[in-house]
Amino acid sequence: MQDFGLSIWSDNNFVIEDDTVNINHASKPSLLKITQEIREKGYKGPLLLRFPHLIQKQISSLFESFEKAKQEFQYQGSFQAVFPLKVNQFPNFIDALMAVSENYSYGLEAGSKAELIIAISKTPIGAPITVNGFKDKEMISLCFIAAKMGHNITVTIEGLGELETIIEVNREFNAAVENPVIPKIGVRIRLHSSGIGIWAKSGGYSSKFGLTSTELLEAYEMLKNHDLLSQLWMIHFHIGSQMGDIAPLKKALREAGNIYAELKKRGADALGAINIGGGLAVEYSQHEGNQERNYSLQEFANDVVYLMQEISKSKGVAEPDIFTESGRYIAASHSVLVAPVLELFSQEYTAKGLRLKEKNPPLIEELYALFNTISREHAREYLHDALDHMESLLTLFDLGYIDLEDRSNTEILVNLIIKKAIALLQNEDSNELKKLQDRIQEKYLVNFSAFQSLPDFWGLKQHFPVMPLDKLQTKPTNPASIWDITCDSDGEIGFNRDLPLYLHDIDVSKEEYFLAFFLTGAYQEVLGMKHNLFTHPTECVIAFDEAGDYHIEKLIEAQNLMDVLDDLDYDTKSIDTTLKLRISESPYLSADEKREVLGKLYLFLSENSYLKTIQANDETRKKYENSN
Ligand SMILES: *Cc1c(COP(=O)(O)O)cnc(C)c1O
C-alpha cells in the first residue's frame, strides 16, 4: 500500500509526485511545502488546511450531474441545492462556499436559530433557504422576517404543532398589513424506508422526524382551512447520512414521489418540489475491497430524475423541482488535517538498549543466540522458541528469579527477533505473521487531538484516510498505531490487522515527519470537543491565483490558554490576578527573577495548548547513547 489508497479515496484531488503528496491543481504544490511555510511563521501544532477549489469542484459536479440527467431524460423540473449548515458552520468554510457557488443560486439549510441567522445573512437574495428541525414560535417568526426581507425561504413542518404555530405567526405578522408575505411551506414525511449504516436513524417509522400519512392529511386540511394551501410547495425527506448503497434511496424516492403525486391530485396545486435531503456518500476507504460507496454521482442523479419522472407520468402530475441537501459530499474533501509526529514509542526496542551482563540467565543467553543466528530457513522455528522463552522468563520474573535488567533484555530481544522474523518471512501471508505485527507495532505520538479533530473516529469508529506527507518513494515497514496527545486511551487509532497502516521508521529527533488526515471537512469540526482543553487547531485557507500559485490566507490561530478558560466561563481576570500575586509573593524569587518569570508566564499564556516539540527526546537520547 505504497500510495496509502490514494487512488481509492482521493478522487484525483491529490497526487504523489517524487516522494511527496501534492495538490492536483494549478502549480501542484506539495502539502509538505505549505505545511513548512506555515510552521516557519511559528505555528507548530496541528494545522487544518482548507481548499476552496475542492468545494467548487463538488458543487459543480453536483449541479452538472443533475443537469446532464435532466437533459438525458428531458426532465421539466429544475434542480436546486442547499448546503446543510450542521455539516460545517465555520466562517472560513462558509465564506469560501458562498464565493465559489455564486453562479449556481446555491443556498443554505438551517436546523437551529443560530444557523438560521447564518443562512439569512449569507445566502444571496433569491437563492433558496430551507429550514428543518424542531422549531418554536421565535424560530418560525425569524422565517417570516427572512421572507419579508425578500428571501426565498421554505419552512419545513416536522409536526402538526409547528403548523399551528405557523398559522398563529402568520396571523400576527400578516393580518393587518397591506403586503402579506409568507414563507413557502414544506412538509417532512415519515417514510417507511430507512437508510443503512451507522447514520441511518433519520428515516423509517421510528425516526425522530416527519409526518405520518394520517398527519399529512390533517396538515392538508389545516392549510386549506387557513388559506395557506397556496404556500405548500415542497415534500421533504432525509433517510440518513453516508448512504453506501443506493437501493434504500430508490425505495424512499418511490414512496416520496407517490406522496407528492397524491397530494397534488388531492388539490395541493402549489406543490412543486421534492427535497431528497442529504446522504450522498463519501469514499473514506483506504483499502482495496473495503469501499464504502457502491454508486457514482451520475448514477445517483439519473436515478432521482428518472424515478421522479416515472411517477409523475404515471400519476399524471407535473414533474417536480428537485432539491438536494447534500452536506458531507460537498464539504468532506475540502480540508486536510496535518499533524506532526512527536515521538515513536517502541524505539526503546533497539539492540543499543540491551544491558547484557557477564553472566545472563540461560534462557536469555539462548534468546541472544536466536537473535544473532536467525535465518530465513529457521525463522519460524526460532520465532516460536523466542515466544516460548519469553513466557518462561516473564514467569521467572514474577517469581523473583530474574531482575529488572533481565526482564528488559527479554523484551528487547523478543521484539527484535519478531521484527527479524517478519522481515525474513515477509512474502508469506500467514495469519500468524499478521498477528505478530500487533506486537511489534510502532506507536506514533502525533500532535493533535482525535476528540477535537476526528470525533467520528472516537464516537463511531469512522475511518479517515491517513498518510505521511513525504518519503513516498520509500516502502513504509512499521505496522503503526497513532496516539493523540490527550491523556485518554480512546485517543488511539490502533493498528488494524485487516486494514493495516504502515509508516516509516524515522528518528524524529533528526527529521520532521508529518501525517495528514483527509476528508475531515464534514461534521468533524463542530462535533470536535475540547477534551483536555485542546481546541480547534490553527486553520487557514489555501487559495490559488490566476498564475496557479498558492496563497496562505485567513489564518486563524488555535485559541490561547486564557481564551480557552474564558470559554468555560472561568473568571480569567481573577486567574490573572492570582497568578501575578503568587509570583510577587513568592519567597523563592528576587525582584529581577519575578519580572523574568512573569514575562515567561505571559508568553506561555498567549500560546495554545498543543505541543511545540518534545525537547526531552533529544537529550534523553544523548544521555542514553553516552551511557552505552
Ligand atoms: C444532516 C442533514 C443533511 C445532510 O446530510 P449529508 O449526509 O451530510 O448529506 C441534509 N438534510 C437534513 C434534513 C439533515 O438533517
Side-chain angles (χ1 to χ4, degrees):
M1 194 188 63
Q2 195 105 352
D3 75 344
F4 293 85
L6 195 88
S7 58
I8 304 171
W9 56 261
S10 94
D11 195 23
N12 285 323
N13 294 337
F14 298 93
V15 283
I16 294 173
E17 272 186 4
D18 299 325
D19 78 336
T20 57
V21 52
N22 294 20
I23 297 150
N24 194 14
H25 183 70
S27 56
K28 301 196 176 178
S30 74
L31 287 173
L32 184 64
K33 181 164 175 246
I34 295 173
T35 300
Q36 281 165 342
E37 190 177 331
I38 298 169
R39 285 170 67 82
E40 273 158 26
K41 297 178 203 276
Y43 305 102
K44 300 294 188 196
L47 297 172
L48 187 85
L49 308 177
R50 299 188 197 275
F51 297 98
H53 75 278
L54 293 179
I55 310 176
Q56 179 155 38
K57 175 181 166 184
Q58 296 309 91
I59 290 177
S60 18
S61 66
L62 180 70
F63 277 88
E64 277 157 24
S65 299
F66 272 93
E67 216 39 62
K68 197 162 161 221
K70 271 180 49 183
Q71 274 173 20
E72 185 175 335
F73 297 101
Q74 299 191 334
Y75 190 80
Q76 300 304 309
S78 71
F79 172 74
Q80 298 185 55
V82 291
F83 179 80
L85 277 163
K86 76 164 188 287
V87 179
N88 195 326
Q89 307 91 339
F90 279 66
N92 271 351
F93 171 77
I94 291 297
D95 288 342
L97 177 78
M98 294 331 285
V100 301
S101 63
E102 242 175 16
N103 298 330
Y104 289 106
S105 182
Y106 189 62
L108 295 169
E109 182 265 1
S112 69
K113 287 179 215 173
E115 286 183 357
L116 184 53
I117 298 302
I118 300 177
I120 296 173
S121 53
K122 297 287 180 183
T123 310
I125 294 291
I129 296 175
T130 58
V131 187
N132 302 321
F134 297 112
K135 302 164 207 71
D136 61 2
K137 190 171 167 190
E138 226 173 69
M139 187 152 167
I140 287 168
S141 302
L142 282 170
C143 296
F144 274 76
I145 291 172
K148 287 186 185 251
M149 287 173 180
H151 268 305
N152 170 9
I153 184 169
T154 303
V155 191
T156 308
I157 305 167
E158 309 270 356
L160 291 178
E162 274 177 18
L163 180 51
E164 278 168 15
T165 313
I166 289 176
I167 292 164
E168 185 187 335
V169 172
N170 182 40
R171 210 176 297 122
E172 287 173 22
F173 271 75
N174 285 325
V177 300
E178 223 169 279
N179 254 332
V181 183
I182 310 172
K184 296 180 187 171
I185 294 174
V187 279
R188 180 147 174 180
I189 50 178
R190 187 169 298 235
L191 294 177
H192 184 60
S193 334
S194 64
I196 46 161
I198 48 182
W199 285 292
K201 287 192 286 284
S202 312
Y205 270 143
S206 57
S207 136
K208 217 162 114 181
F209 300 107
L211 274 62
T212 61
S213 320
T214 317
E215 288 168 330
L216 206 53
L217 291 171
E218 205 167 319
Y220 176 87
E221 299 301 328
M222 280 167 76
L223 286 165
K224 197 171 170 185
N225 294 341
H226 290 88
D227 282 337
L228 284 171
L229 202 53
S230 57
Q231 295 307 113
L232 176 64
W233 96 295
M234 181 186 278
I235 294 286
H236 178 232
F237 71 88
H238 170 67
I239 61 170
S241 204
Q242 185 68 358
M243 286 181 300
D245 185 354
I246 202 158
L249 177 80
K250 286 188 176 171
K251 255 184 98 201
L253 280 166
R254 283 202 189 90
E255 216 181 322
N258 278 301
I259 290 175
Y260 159 82
E262 286 295 318
L263 280 178
K264 230 173 146 54
K265 279 167 66 177
R266 201 176 182 82
D269 294 332
L271 198 58
I274 189 140
N275 180 340
I276 65 174
L280 203 45
V282 164
E283 186 51 74
Y284 292 102
S285 174
Q286 206 166 1
H287 295 88
E288 199 57 59
N290 194 49
Q291 276 88 332
E292 298 195 16
R293 191 180 72 183
N294 73 357
Y295 56 89
S296 68
L297 176 61
Q298 194 60 57
E299 180 183 347
F300 175 87
N302 289 351
D303 282 347
V304 174
V305 170
Y306 171 76
L307 283 170
M308 282 309 118
Q309 185 165 58
E310 203 190 45
I311 294 165
S312 305
K313 265 192 193 144
S314 76
K315 295 242 160 156
V317 294
E319 292 167 0
D321 291 350
I322 293 166
F323 271 72
T324 71
E325 295 175 332
S326 276
R328 184 184 298 278
Y329 177 83
I330 297 294
S333 64
H334 98 280
S335 78
V336 178
L337 181 81
V338 176
V341 172
L342 294 168
E343 202 170 332
L344 267 61
F345 265 113
S346 48
Q347 269 182 348
E348 64 254 43
Y349 293 131
T350 60
K352 263 193 203 151
L354 283 172
R355 295 157 186 270
L356 293 173
K357 304 167 184 165
E358 295 269 297
K359 196 167 172 355
N360 296 291
L363 280 177
I364 290 188
E365 294 288 353
E366 257 185 67
L367 276 181
Y368 193 56
L370 290 173
F371 168 60
N372 284 318
T373 57
I374 188 166
S375 65
R376 165 106 233 248
E377 196 187 350
H378 296 114
R380 195 175 290 273
E381 182 189 333
Y382 280 25
L383 180 67
H384 293 151
D385 289 350
L387 293 173
D388 203 36
H389 290 353
M390 183 167 81
E391 286 306 314
S392 311
L393 282 159
L394 290 177
T395 309
L396 288 174
F397 180 79
D398 292 347
L399 297 172
Y401 291 114
I402 64 170
D403 65 16
L404 193 56
E405 284 192 342
D406 296 329
R407 179 175 158 140
S408 149
N409 291 333
T410 306
E411 286 170 2
I412 294 174
L413 285 170
V414 171
N415 262 282
L416 294 175
I417 292 167
I418 295 177
K419 268 194 195 174
K420 264 194 178 176
I422 288 180
L424 290 167
L425 298 171
Q426 66 175 332
N427 295 329
E428 293 187 27
D429 187 32
S430 85
N431 231 353
E432 181 185 18
L433 287 182
K434 275 195 193 158
K435 271 188 205 157
L436 284 170
Q437 293 191 339
D438 289 0
R439 294 179 64 155
I440 56 157
Q441 62 178 278
E442 201 86 36
K443 297 179 166 58
Y444 287 72
L445 180 68
V446 181
N447 199 357
F448 86 117
S449 157
F451 298 86
Q452 173 60 240
S453 294
L454 304 177
D456 278 342
F457 169 76
W458 170 72
L460 299 163
K461 292 286 165 274
Q462 174 62 46
H463 175 85
F464 294 86
V466 56
M467 72 187 287
L469 290 190
D470 65 347
K471 299 197 183 304
L472 298 172
Q473 299 290 12
T474 315
K475 186 171 172 165
T477 50
N478 285 344
S481 60
I482 292 171
W483 281 4
D484 75 1
I485 54 168
T486 65
C487 311
D488 193 315
S489 49
D490 276 349
E492 178 186 353
I493 303 176
F495 179 74
N496 181 340
R497 216 182 284 165
D498 300 318
L499 306 171
L501 174 69
Y502 296 94
L503 294 175
H504 298 96
D505 201 13
I506 37 118
D507 181 347
V508 284
S509 68
K510 299 210 172 71
E511 57 179 334
E512 292 182 314
Y513 190 62
F514 299 98
L515 295 185
F517 296 90
F518 293 85
L519 302 172
T520 58
Y523 296 100
Q524 303 318 295
E525 293 185 56
V526 90
L527 282 177
M529 63 194 105
K530 296 183 193 161
H531 192 22
N532 261 173
L533 302 188
F534 290 108
T535 62
H536 191 267
T538 296
E539 64 159 274
C540 63
V541 170
I542 308 297
F544 290 88
D545 62 23
E546 307 236 305
D549 296 322
Y550 74 85
H551 298 274
I552 298 165
E553 294 174 355
K554 303 190 173 171
L555 193 138
I556 303 175
E557 195 180 357
Q559 276 187 312
N560 72 31
L561 304 187
M562 278 307 207
D563 286 345
V564 178
L565 298 184
D566 192 48
D567 267 7
L568 293 190
D569 288 332
Y570 274 97
D571 180 349
T572 46
K573 277 213 185 87
S574 113
I575 289 180
D576 186 78
T577 313
T578 310
L579 293 173
K580 267 195 212 145
L581 192 72
R582 297 256 149 99
I583 289 175
S584 75
E585 289 182 349
S586 165
Y588 304 110
L589 298 170
S590 71
D592 277 351
E593 285 169 338
K594 282 178 187 173
R595 255 193 307 282
E596 199 185 323
V597 171
L598 193 67
K600 276 192 178 151
L601 177 68
Y602 273 101
L603 182 65
F604 298 149
L605 290 179
S606 74
E607 312 262 11
N608 64 60
S609 290
Y610 290 101
L611 305 182
K612 296 260 164 104
T613 47
I614 293 191
Q615 259 108 14
N617 205 17
D618 238 5
E619 277 157 33
T620 40
R621 193 181 311 270
K622 266 190 224 119
K623 237 194 283 173
Y624 189 58
E625 282 171 9
N626 290 342
S627 71
N628 268 269

